Amino acid sequence: MEGQSIISVGIDIGTSTTKFIVSHLKYAKVSSHFSLPRYEIVERKIVYESPMYSTPLKEKRDEIDLKTLAEWLEEQYKKAGVNVSEVKSGAVIITGETATKKNAESILHYLAEKSGDFVVAIAGASLEALLAGKGSGAFLRSKEVKGTVANIDIGGGTANVVLFRRGKVLGAITYHVGGRLIELDQNGEITFISTSIQPWLHSKNYRLQVKKKICFKEMQQIVQEMCKDMLNSLTGQKPIQLDDSLIHSTSFQVIPPIDEVMISGGIGQLLEKEAPKTIYDTAVYGDIGPLLAHEVVKAIENSSLKLIKATQTSRATVIGAGMQSTEISGATIHVASSRLPIRNLPIMMVELNDEQIKNGDDVYEQIKHAMIEWKQYFQGEQEIPFAIHIRGISYCSYAALKEVAKILFSLYEKYFPRNPVLVVICENDIAKALGQLLVLQSKNKVDIISIDQVVVEQGDYIDIGETINQSMVPVVIKTLAFMKN
């Protein structure tokens, strides 16, 4: 694998647009001769990028038009000059309001089966915010500077905001702010109003109607008010309330002070174009996107926030996924074999240190915080929501490990009571002992899979294969790839 490129594909099906990207990813070995092999993507080159394609929906807008979408994807593979058999890995992500369409999951699996060994995910608002924040450069920026860096990813249906500090996620909040919430033609006639923005419009006494005309000044006033409300919320001038009609979802009760902010998504890309001055200019794409792009910048400039340019805007989403394989020593695993194989488990990170291990309250708070944060990222119907990666324990007594198992299982049972399998990945060789302790805690209510000697990062996805000779399990780690400068 070292020094070789693989072909990877990224398919992002958003509220208003779908993107298809083919990239060549090059690996290099980054581990020493004395440790397990570890590879990283060292070079990424986009070799084909589709034009923005309007996500096809059926007439009632509650289902994705699979036939039309599949035909378009086939056409893109041909234009890219790529056969499906050549694609070694990739990612299919359904985001925004499209993720709520009733056939979203079946489409996801259809695409994955047709496309090879892919990461497949329906990204809820919080996961979409996290992915966009990594792709835009906000995640890396937060590692370089002091303070909190926010990324606002604005698409057709939502504005997904994620906050990072020193490379850690502080939380996410999503607003009903997007370019396709109101659609209109270039004469100013409104053609569509999303149900998600109507409560906010009513609360502000805006009585818009389909087939009615609107002038530029009135449309501008509505968009300005929308941006102002979002910025007041982000800067703490307006308290977060669950009944706020502009808020879609939030992990914050109070948003921490933000030092820098980036804008990504389709709206971020529109910043490169001239601001509209008429309703004709506004509706050039049949929606309010161009107006929203420039009004949100004005709102940021009028606030206390410092706007910095995103490294990537429309390509802030994944361009594909890299893969690497390893094998697990059979001496240190505990697996419920009947549950294998498992595919596409996202990684939830819990970081503990030797001092925290000595204090059960610290362990409880760390795991509880991670569970609450990650509960919002994934769909409730998933049988296994994620794999928990425990990092940072260099030494652990049996008594301390028993306490970790007790806390881990009790919190998993509390926050994920309907999930029948718990998957744990340990950094050090404690998986077998921890797995057995978790079995005792679960009293056979939940199947336990506990493995170690695997190096993963938050944001990776993992496949765990069937046991080999009752002693080993093959593991495939998929790292989502984002564009780099």
Coordinates of all heavy atoms in Angstrom, one line a residue, residues 54-144:
S54 N -28.9 19.7 -8.8 CA -30.0 19.8 -7.9 C -30.5 18.5 -7.4 O -30.9 17.6 -8.3 CB -31.2 20.6 -8.6 OG -30.8 21.9 -8.8
T55 N -30.5 18.2 -6.1 CA -30.9 16.9 -5.6 C -32.3 16.6 -6.1 O -33.3 17.4 -5.8 CB -30.9 16.9 -4.1 OG1 -29.5 17.3 -3.7 CG2 -31.3 15.6 -3.5
P56 N -32.5 15.5 -6.8 CA -33.9 15.2 -7.4 C -34.8 14.7 -6.3 O -34.5 13.8 -5.6 CB -33.6 14.2 -8.5 CG -32.4 13.5 -8.0 CD -31.5 14.5 -7.2
L57 N -36.0 15.4 -6.2 CA -37.0 15.0 -5.3 C -38.3 14.7 -6.0 O -38.5 15.2 -7.1 CB -37.3 16.1 -4.2 CG -36.1 16.5 -3.4 CD1 -36.5 17.7 -2.5 CD2 -35.6 15.4 -2.5
K58 N -39.1 13.8 -5.5 CA -40.4 13.5 -6.1 C -41.3 14.7 -5.9 O -41.0 15.6 -5.1 CB -40.9 12.2 -5.6 CG -40.1 11.0 -6.1 CD -40.8 9.7 -5.8 CE -40.0 8.5 -6.4 NZ -40.5 7.2 -6.1
E59 N -42.5 14.6 -6.5 CA -43.3 15.8 -6.6 C -43.7 16.4 -5.2 O -43.7 17.6 -5.0 CB -44.6 15.4 -7.3 CG -45.4 16.6 -7.7 CD -46.6 16.2 -8.5 OE1 -46.7 15.1 -9.0 OE2 -47.5 17.1 -8.7
K60 N -43.9 15.5 -4.2 CA -44.3 16.0 -2.9 C -43.1 16.4 -2.0 O -43.3 16.8 -0.9 CB -45.1 14.9 -2.1 CG -46.5 14.6 -2.8 CD -47.2 13.5 -2.0 CE -48.6 13.2 -2.6 NZ -49.2 12.1 -1.8
R61 N -41.9 16.3 -2.6 CA -40.7 16.7 -1.9 C -40.4 15.9 -0.6 O -39.6 16.3 0.2 CB -40.7 18.2 -1.5 CG -40.6 19.1 -2.7 CD -40.7 20.5 -2.3 NE -40.6 21.4 -3.5 CZ -39.6 22.2 -3.7 NH1 -38.6 22.2 -2.9 NH2 -39.6 23.0 -4.7
D62 N -41.1 14.7 -0.4 CA -40.8 13.9 0.8 C -40.0 12.7 0.4 O -39.7 11.9 1.3 CB -42.1 13.5 1.5 CG -43.0 12.7 0.6 OD1 -42.7 12.6 -0.6 OD2 -44.0 12.1 1.1
E63 N -39.6 12.5 -0.8 CA -38.8 11.4 -1.2 C -37.7 11.8 -2.2 O -38.0 12.6 -3.1 CB -39.6 10.3 -1.9 CG -40.3 9.4 -0.9 CD -41.0 8.2 -1.6 OE1 -40.2 7.4 -2.2 OE2 -42.2 8.1 -1.6
I64 N -36.5 11.2 -2.1 CA -35.5 11.4 -3.1 C -35.9 10.6 -4.3 O -36.3 9.4 -4.2 CB -34.1 11.0 -2.6 CG1 -33.8 11.8 -1.3 CG2 -33.1 11.2 -3.7 CD1 -32.6 11.3 -0.5
D65 N -35.7 11.1 -5.5 CA -36.0 10.4 -6.8 C -34.8 9.5 -7.1 O -33.8 10.0 -7.7 CB -36.2 11.4 -7.9 CG -36.7 10.7 -9.2 OD1 -36.4 9.5 -9.3 OD2 -37.3 11.4 -10.0
L66 N -34.8 8.3 -6.6 CA -33.6 7.4 -6.7 C -33.3 7.1 -8.2 O -32.1 7.1 -8.5 CB -33.9 6.1 -6.0 CG -32.9 5.0 -6.1 CD1 -31.5 5.5 -5.5 CD2 -33.3 3.8 -5.3
K67 N -34.3 6.9 -9.0 CA -34.0 6.6 -10.4 C -33.2 7.7 -11.1 O -32.1 7.5 -11.7 CB -35.3 6.3 -11.2 CG -35.1 5.9 -12.6 CD -36.5 5.5 -13.2 CE -36.3 5.0 -14.6 NZ -36.0 6.1 -15.5
T68 N -33.7 8.9 -10.9 CA -33.0 10.0 -11.5 C -31.6 10.2 -10.9 O -30.6 10.5 -11.7 CB -33.8 11.3 -11.3 OG1 -35.1 11.1 -11.8 CG2 -33.2 12.5 -12.0
L69 N -31.5 10.1 -9.6 CA -30.2 10.2 -9.0 C -29.2 9.2 -9.5 O -28.0 9.5 -9.7 CB -30.4 10.1 -7.5 CG -29.1 10.3 -6.6 CD1 -28.5 11.7 -6.8 CD2 -29.4 10.1 -5.1
A70 N -29.7 7.9 -9.6 CA -28.8 6.9 -10.0 C -28.3 7.1 -11.4 O -27.1 6.8 -11.8 CB -29.5 5.5 -9.9
E71 N -29.2 7.6 -12.3 CA -28.8 7.8 -13.7 C -27.7 8.9 -13.7 O -26.8 8.9 -14.5 CB -30.0 8.3 -14.5 CG -31.0 7.1 -14.8 CD -32.3 7.5 -15.4 OE1 -32.5 8.7 -15.5 OE2 -33.1 6.6 -15.7
W72 N -27.9 10.0 -12.9 CA -26.9 11.1 -12.9 C -25.6 10.6 -12.4 O -24.5 10.9 -13.0 CB -27.5 12.2 -12.0 CG -26.5 13.4 -11.9 CD1 -26.4 14.4 -12.8 CD2 -25.6 13.6 -10.9 NE1 -25.4 15.2 -12.4 CE2 -24.9 14.8 -11.2 CE3 -25.2 13.0 -9.7 CZ2 -23.9 15.4 -10.4 CZ3 -24.3 13.6 -8.9 CH2 -23.6 14.7 -9.3
L73 N -25.6 9.7 -11.4 CA -24.3 9.2 -10.8 C -23.6 8.3 -11.9 O -22.4 8.4 -12.0 CB -24.6 8.4 -9.6 CG -24.9 9.2 -8.3 CD1 -25.3 8.4 -7.2 CD2 -23.7 10.1 -7.9
E74 N -24.4 7.5 -12.6 CA -23.8 6.7 -13.7 C -23.1 7.6 -14.7 O -22.0 7.3 -15.2 CB -24.9 5.8 -14.3 CG -24.9 4.4 -13.8 CD -26.0 3.6 -14.5 OE1 -26.1 3.7 -15.7 OE2 -26.7 2.9 -13.8
E75 N -23.8 8.6 -15.0 CA -23.2 9.6 -16.0 C -21.9 10.2 -15.5 O -21.0 10.4 -16.2 CB -24.3 10.7 -16.3 CG -23.9 11.7 -17.3 CD -25.0 12.8 -17.4 OE1 -26.2 12.5 -17.1 OE2 -24.6 13.9 -17.7
Q76 N -21.9 10.5 -14.2 CA -20.7 11.1 -13.6 C -19.5 10.1 -13.6 O -18.4 10.5 -13.9 CB -21.0 11.6 -12.2 CG -22.0 12.7 -12.1 CD -21.8 13.8 -13.1 OE1 -20.7 14.4 -13.1 NE2 -22.8 14.1 -13.9
Y77 N -19.8 8.9 -13.3 CA -18.7 7.9 -13.4 C -18.1 7.8 -14.8 O -16.9 7.8 -14.9 CB -19.3 6.5 -13.0 CG -19.2 6.2 -11.5 CD1 -20.4 6.2 -10.7 CD2 -18.0 5.9 -10.8 CE1 -20.4 5.9 -9.4 CE2 -18.0 5.7 -9.5 CZ -19.2 5.7 -8.7 OH -19.1 5.4 -7.4
K78 N -19.0 7.9 -15.8 CA -18.5 7.8 -17.2 C -17.7 9.1 -17.5 O -16.6 9.0 -18.1 CB -19.7 7.7 -18.1 CG -20.3 6.4 -18.2 CD -21.5 6.3 -19.2 CE -22.2 5.0 -19.1 NZ -23.5 5.0 -19.8
K79 N -18.2 10.2 -17.1 CA -17.4 11.5 -17.3 C -16.1 11.5 -16.6 O -15.1 12.1 -17.1 CB -18.3 12.7 -16.9 CG -19.4 13.0 -17.8 CD -20.1 14.3 -17.4 CE -21.2 14.6 -18.4 NZ -22.0 15.8 -18.0
A80 N -16.1 10.9 -15.5 CA -14.8 10.8 -14.7 C -13.8 9.8 -15.3 O -12.7 9.7 -14.9 CB -15.1 10.5 -13.2
G81 N -14.4 8.9 -16.2 CA -13.5 7.9 -16.7 C -13.2 6.8 -15.7 O -12.1 6.2 -15.8
V82 N -14.1 6.5 -14.8 CA -13.8 5.6 -13.7 C -14.8 4.5 -13.7 O -16.0 4.7 -13.8 CB -13.9 6.3 -12.3 CG1 -13.7 5.3 -11.2 CG2 -12.8 7.4 -12.2
N83 N -14.3 3.2 -13.7 CA -15.2 2.1 -13.5 C -15.4 1.8 -12.0 O -14.5 2.0 -11.2 CB -14.6 0.8 -14.1 CG -14.5 0.9 -15.6 OD1 -15.5 1.4 -16.2 ND2 -13.5 0.5 -16.2
V84 N -16.6 1.4 -11.6 CA -16.9 1.2 -10.2 C -15.9 0.2 -9.6 O -15.5 0.3 -8.4 CB -18.4 0.7 -10.0 CG1 -18.6 0.3 -8.6 CG2 -19.3 1.7 -10.5
S85 N -15.5 -0.8 -10.4 CA -14.6 -1.8 -9.9 C -13.2 -1.2 -9.5 O -12.4 -1.8 -8.7 CB -14.4 -2.9 -10.9 OG -13.9 -2.4 -12.1
E86 N -12.9 -0.1 -10.0 CA -11.6 0.6 -9.7 C -11.6 1.3 -8.4 O -10.6 1.7 -7.9 CB -11.2 1.5 -10.9 CG -11.0 0.9 -12.2 CD -10.7 1.9 -13.3 OE1 -11.5 2.9 -13.4 OE2 -9.7 1.8 -14.0
V87 N -12.8 1.6 -7.9 CA -12.9 2.5 -6.7 C -12.6 1.6 -5.5 O -13.3 0.6 -5.2 CB -14.3 3.1 -6.7 CG1 -14.5 3.9 -5.4 CG2 -14.6 3.9 -7.9
K88 N -11.6 2.0 -4.7 CA -11.2 1.2 -3.6 C -11.9 1.6 -2.3 O -12.1 0.9 -1.4 CB -9.7 1.3 -3.4 CG -8.9 0.8 -4.5 CD -9.2 -0.7 -4.7 CE -8.3 -1.3 -5.9 NZ -8.7 -2.6 -6.2
S89 N -12.4 2.9 -2.2 CA -13.1 3.3 -1.0 C -13.8 4.6 -1.3 O -13.6 5.2 -2.4 CB -12.1 3.6 0.1 OG -11.4 4.8 -0.1
G90 N -14.6 5.0 -0.4 CA -15.4 6.3 -0.6 C -16.3 6.5 0.5 O -16.4 5.8 1.5
A91 N -17.1 7.6 0.3 CA -18.0 8.0 1.3 C -19.3 8.5 0.7 O -19.2 9.3 -0.3 CB -17.4 9.0 2.2
V92 N -20.4 8.0 1.2 CA -21.7 8.5 0.7 C -22.4 9.2 1.9 O -22.6 8.5 2.9 CB -22.7 7.4 0.2 CG1 -23.9 8.0 -0.3 CG2 -22.0 6.6 -0.9
I93 N -22.6 10.5 1.9 CA -23.2 11.2 3.0 C -24.4 11.9 2.6 O -24.4 12.6 1.6 CB -22.2 12.2 3.6 CG1 -20.8 11.7 3.8 CG2 -22.7 12.8 4.9 CD1 -20.6 10.7 4.9
I94 N -25.5 11.6 3.3 CA -26.8 12.3 3.0 C -27.0 13.3 4.1 O -26.9 13.0 5.3 CB -28.0 11.4 2.9 CG1 -27.8 10.4 1.8 CG2 -29.3 12.2 2.8 CD1 -29.0 9.5 1.5
T95 N -27.1 14.6 3.8 CA -27.1 15.7 4.8 C -28.3 16.6 4.7 O -29.1 16.4 3.7 CB -25.8 16.5 4.6 OG1 -25.8 17.1 3.3 CG2 -24.6 15.8 4.8
G96 N -28.4 17.5 5.6 CA -29.5 18.5 5.6 C -30.9 17.9 5.6 O -31.1 16.8 6.2
E97 N -31.8 18.6 5.1 CA -33.2 18.2 5.1 C -33.4 16.9 4.3 O -34.3 16.1 4.6 CB -34.1 19.2 4.6 CG -34.3 20.4 5.5 CD -35.4 21.3 5.1 OE1 -35.9 21.2 3.9 OE2 -35.9 22.1 5.9
T98 N -32.4 16.6 3.4 CA -32.5 15.4 2.6 C -32.4 14.2 3.5 O -33.0 13.1 3.2 CB -31.4 15.4 1.5 OG1 -31.5 16.6 0.8 CG2 -31.6 14.3 0.5
A99 N -31.6 14.3 4.6 CA -31.5 13.2 5.5 C -32.8 12.8 6.2 O -32.9 11.7 6.7 CB -30.5 13.5 6.6
T100 N -33.8 13.7 6.1 CA -35.1 13.3 6.8 C -36.1 12.8 5.8 O -37.1 12.4 6.2 CB -35.7 14.6 7.4 OG1 -36.0 15.5 6.3 CG2 -34.7 15.3 8.3
K101 N -35.7 12.7 4.5 CA -36.6 12.1 3.5 C -36.9 10.6 3.8 O -35.9 9.9 4.3 CB -36.1 12.3 2.1 CG -35.7 13.7 1.7 CD -36.9 14.6 1.8 CE -36.5 16.0 1.4 NZ -37.6 17.0 1.7
K102 N -38.1 10.2 3.6 CA -38.4 8.9 4.1 C -37.7 7.7 3.5 O -37.6 6.6 4.1 CB -40.0 8.7 4.0 CG -40.6 8.7 2.6 CD -42.1 8.6 2.8 CE -42.7 8.5 1.4 NZ -44.2 8.5 1.5
N103 N -37.1 7.9 2.3 CA -36.4 6.8 1.7 C -34.9 7.0 1.7 O -34.1 6.4 1.0 CB -36.8 6.5 0.3 CG -36.6 7.7 -0.6 OD1 -36.4 8.9 -0.2 ND2 -36.6 7.5 -1.9
A104 N -34.4 7.9 2.6 CA -33.0 8.3 2.7 C -32.1 7.1 3.0 O -31.1 6.9 2.3 CB -32.7 9.4 3.7
E105 N -32.5 6.3 3.9 CA -31.6 5.2 4.3 C -31.5 4.1 3.2 O -30.5 3.6 3.0 CB -32.1 4.5 5.6 CG -31.2 3.5 6.1 CD -31.2 3.4 7.7 OE1 -31.9 4.1 8.3 OE2 -30.4 2.6 8.2
S106 N -32.7 3.8 2.6 CA -32.6 2.8 1.5 C -31.8 3.3 0.4 O -31.0 2.5 -0.2 CB -34.0 2.4 1.1 OG -34.7 3.6 0.6
I107 N -31.8 4.6 0.1 CA -31.0 5.1 -1.0 C -29.5 5.0 -0.6 O -28.6 4.7 -1.4 CB -31.4 6.6 -1.2 CG1 -32.7 6.6 -2.0 CG2 -30.3 7.3 -1.9 CD1 -33.2 7.9 -2.3
L108 N -29.2 5.3 0.6 CA -27.8 5.3 1.1 C -27.2 3.9 0.9 O -26.1 3.7 0.3 CB -27.8 5.6 2.6 CG -26.5 6.0 3.2 CD1 -26.0 7.3 2.6 CD2 -26.7 6.2 4.7
H109 N -28.0 2.8 1.3 CA -27.4 1.5 1.1 C -27.4 1.0 -0.3 O -26.5 0.3 -0.8 CB -28.2 0.5 2.0 CG -28.0 0.7 3.5 ND1 -26.8 0.5 4.0 CD2 -28.7 1.3 4.4 CE1 -26.8 0.8 5.3 NE2 -28.0 1.3 5.6
Y110 N -28.4 1.5 -1.1 CA -28.4 1.2 -2.5 C -27.1 1.8 -3.2 O -26.4 1.1 -3.9 CB -29.6 1.8 -3.2 CG -29.6 1.8 -4.7 CD1 -29.9 0.6 -5.4 CD2 -29.1 2.9 -5.4 CE1 -29.9 0.6 -6.8 CE2 -29.1 2.9 -6.8 CZ -29.4 1.7 -7.5 OH -29.4 1.7 -8.9
L111 N -26.8 3.0 -2.8 CA -25.6 3.6 -3.4 C -24.3 3.0 -3.0 O -23.4 2.8 -3.7 CB -25.6 5.1 -3.0 CG -26.6 6.0 -3.7 CD1 -26.6 7.4 -3.1 CD2 -26.4 6.1 -5.2
A112 N -24.3 2.6 -1.7 CA -23.1 1.9 -1.1 C -22.9 0.6 -1.8 O -21.8 0.3 -2.2 CB -23.2 1.8 0.4
E113 N -23.9 -0.2 -2.0 CA -23.8 -1.5 -2.6 C -23.3 -1.3 -4.1 O -22.6 -2.1 -4.6 CB -25.1 -2.2 -2.6 CG -25.5 -2.8 -1.2 CD -26.9 -3.3 -1.1 OE1 -27.5 -3.4 -2.2 OE2 -27.3 -3.5 0.0
K114 N -23.8 -0.3 -4.7 CA -23.4 -0.1 -6.1 C -22.1 0.5 -6.3 O -21.5 0.5 -7.4 CB -24.4 0.9 -6.8 CG -25.9 0.4 -6.8 CD -26.1 -0.7 -7.9 CE -26.1 -0.1 -9.3 NZ -26.4 -1.2 -10.2
S115 N -21.5 1.1 -5.2 CA -20.3 1.9 -5.3 C -19.1 1.3 -4.7 O -18.0 1.9 -4.8 CB -20.6 3.2 -4.7 OG -21.7 3.8 -5.2
G116 N -19.2 0.2 -4.0 CA -18.0 -0.4 -3.5 C -18.0 -0.3 -2.0 O -19.0 -0.2 -1.3
D117 N -16.8 -0.4 -1.4 CA -16.6 -0.5 0.0 C -16.6 0.9 0.6 O -15.5 1.5 0.8 CB -15.3 -1.2 0.4 CG -15.3 -1.7 1.8 OD1 -16.3 -1.4 2.5 OD2 -14.4 -2.3 2.2
F118 N -17.7 1.5 0.9 CA -17.8 2.9 1.3 C -18.2 3.0 2.7 O -18.8 2.2 3.3 CB -19.0 3.5 0.4 CG -18.6 4.0 -0.9 CD1 -17.6 3.3 -1.7 CD2 -19.1 5.1 -1.4 CE1 -17.2 3.8 -2.9 CE2 -18.8 5.6 -2.7 CZ -17.8 4.9 -3.4
V119 N -17.8 4.2 3.2 CA -18.5 4.7 4.4 C -19.8 5.2 4.0 O -20.0 5.9 3.0 CB -17.7 5.9 5.0 CG1 -18.5 6.6 6.1 CG2 -16.3 5.4 5.6
V120 N -20.8 4.8 4.7 CA -22.2 5.3 4.4 C -22.8 5.9 5.7 O -22.7 5.3 6.7 CB -23.1 4.1 3.9 CG1 -22.7 3.7 2.6 CG2 -23.1 3.0 4.9
A121 N -23.3 7.1 5.5 CA -23.8 7.7 6.7 C -24.9 8.7 6.3 O -24.8 9.4 5.3 CB -22.7 8.5 7.4
I122 N -26.0 8.7 7.1 CA -27.0 9.8 7.1 C -26.6 10.7 8.2 O -26.6 10.4 9.4 CB -28.4 9.2 7.3 CG1 -28.8 8.3 6.2 CG2 -29.4 10.4 7.4 CD1 -30.2 7.7 6.4
A123 N -26.1 11.9 7.8 CA -25.6 12.8 8.8 C -26.7 13.7 9.3 O -27.3 14.5 8.6 CB -24.5 13.7 8.2
G124 N -27.0 13.6 10.6 CA -27.9 14.5 11.2 C -27.2 15.9 11.3 O -26.0 16.0 10.9
A125 N -27.9 16.9 11.8 CA -27.4 18.2 11.7 C -26.1 18.3 12.5 O -25.1 19.0 12.0 CB -28.4 19.2 12.3
S126 N -25.9 17.7 13.6 CA -24.7 17.8 14.4 C -23.5 17.2 13.7 O -22.4 17.7 13.7 CB -24.9 17.3 15.8 OG -25.9 17.9 16.5
L127 N -23.7 16.0 13.2 CA -22.6 15.3 12.5 C -22.2 16.1 11.2 O -21.1 16.2 10.9 CB -23.0 13.9 12.1 CG -22.0 13.1 11.4 CD1 -20.7 13.0 12.2 CD2 -22.5 11.7 11.0
E128 N -23.2 16.6 10.5 CA -22.9 17.4 9.3 C -22.1 18.7 9.7 O -21.2 19.0 9.0 CB -24.3 17.9 8.7 CG -24.0 18.6 7.4 CD -25.3 19.1 6.7 OE1 -26.4 18.8 7.3 OE2 -25.3 19.7 5.7
A129 N -22.4 19.3 10.9 CA -21.7 20.4 11.3 C -20.2 20.0 11.6 O -19.3 20.8 11.2 CB -22.3 21.0 12.6
L130 N -20.1 18.9 12.3 CA -18.7 18.4 12.6 C -17.9 18.1 11.3 O -16.7 18.6 11.2 CB -18.8 17.2 13.4 CG -17.5 16.4 13.7 CD1 -16.6 17.3 14.5 CD2 -17.8 15.1 14.5
L131 N -18.5 17.4 10.3 CA -17.8 17.1 9.1 C -17.4 18.4 8.4 O -16.3 18.5 7.9 CB -18.7 16.2 8.2 CG -19.0 14.8 8.7 CD1 -19.9 14.1 7.8 CD2 -17.7 14.0 9.0
A132 N -18.4 19.3 8.3 CA -18.1 20.6 7.6 C -17.0 21.4 8.3 O -16.2 22.0 7.6 CB -19.4 21.4 7.5
G133 N -17.0 21.4 9.6 CA -16.0 22.1 10.4 C -14.6 21.5 10.1 O -13.6 22.2 10.1
K134 N -14.5 20.2 9.9 CA -13.2 19.6 9.6 C -12.8 20.0 8.2 O -11.7 20.3 7.9 CB -13.3 18.1 9.8 CG -13.3 17.6 11.2 CD -13.0 16.1 11.3 CE -12.5 15.8 12.7 NZ -12.0 14.4 12.8
G135 N -13.8 19.9 7.3 CA -13.5 20.2 5.9 C -13.2 21.6 5.6 O -12.4 21.9 4.7
S136 N -13.8 22.5 6.3 CA -13.6 24.0 6.1 C -12.2 24.5 6.5 O -11.7 25.5 6.1 CB -14.6 24.8 6.8 OG -14.4 24.8 8.2
G137 N -11.6 23.8 7.5 CA -10.3 24.2 8.0 C -10.5 24.7 9.4 O -9.5 25.1 10.1
A138 N -11.7 24.9 9.9 CA -11.9 25.4 11.3 C -11.3 24.5 12.4 O -10.7 25.0 13.3 CB -13.4 25.6 11.5
F139 N -11.4 23.2 12.2 CA -10.8 22.2 13.1 C -9.3 22.4 13.2 O -8.7 22.6 14.4 CB -11.1 20.8 12.7 CG -10.4 19.7 13.5 CD1 -10.9 19.4 14.7 CD2 -9.4 19.0 12.9 CE1 -10.3 18.4 15.5 CE2 -8.7 18.0 13.6 CZ -9.2 17.7 14.9
L140 N -8.6 22.5 12.1 CA -7.1 22.7 12.1 C -6.8 24.1 12.7 O -5.8 24.3 13.4 CB -6.5 22.5 10.7 CG -6.4 21.1 10.2 CD1 -5.9 21.1 8.8 CD2 -5.6 20.3 11.1
R141 N -7.6 25.1 12.3 CA -7.3 26.5 12.8 C -7.4 26.5 14.3 O -6.6 27.2 14.9 CB -8.4 27.4 12.1 CG -8.3 28.8 12.6 CD -7.2 29.6 12.1 NE -7.2 31.0 12.5 CZ -6.2 31.9 12.3 NH1 -5.1 31.5 11.7 NH2 -6.3 33.1 12.8
S142 N -8.3 25.8 14.9 CA -8.4 25.8 16.3 C -7.2 25.2 17.0 O -7.0 25.5 18.2 CB -9.7 25.1 16.8 OG -9.6 23.7 16.7
K143 N -6.5 24.4 16.3 CA -5.3 23.8 16.9 C -4.1 24.8 16.9 O -3.2 24.7 17.6 CB -4.8 22.6 16.1 CG -5.7 21.4 16.4 CD -5.2 20.2 15.6 CE -5.9 18.9 16.0 NZ -5.3 17.7 15.3
E144 N -4.2 25.8 16.0 CA -3.1 26.8 15.8 C -3.3 28.0 16.6 O -2.3 28.7 16.9 CB -3.1 27.2 14.3 CG -2.8 26.0 13.4 CD -3.1 26.3 11.9 OE1 -3.6 27.5 11.6 OE2 -2.9 25.5 11.0

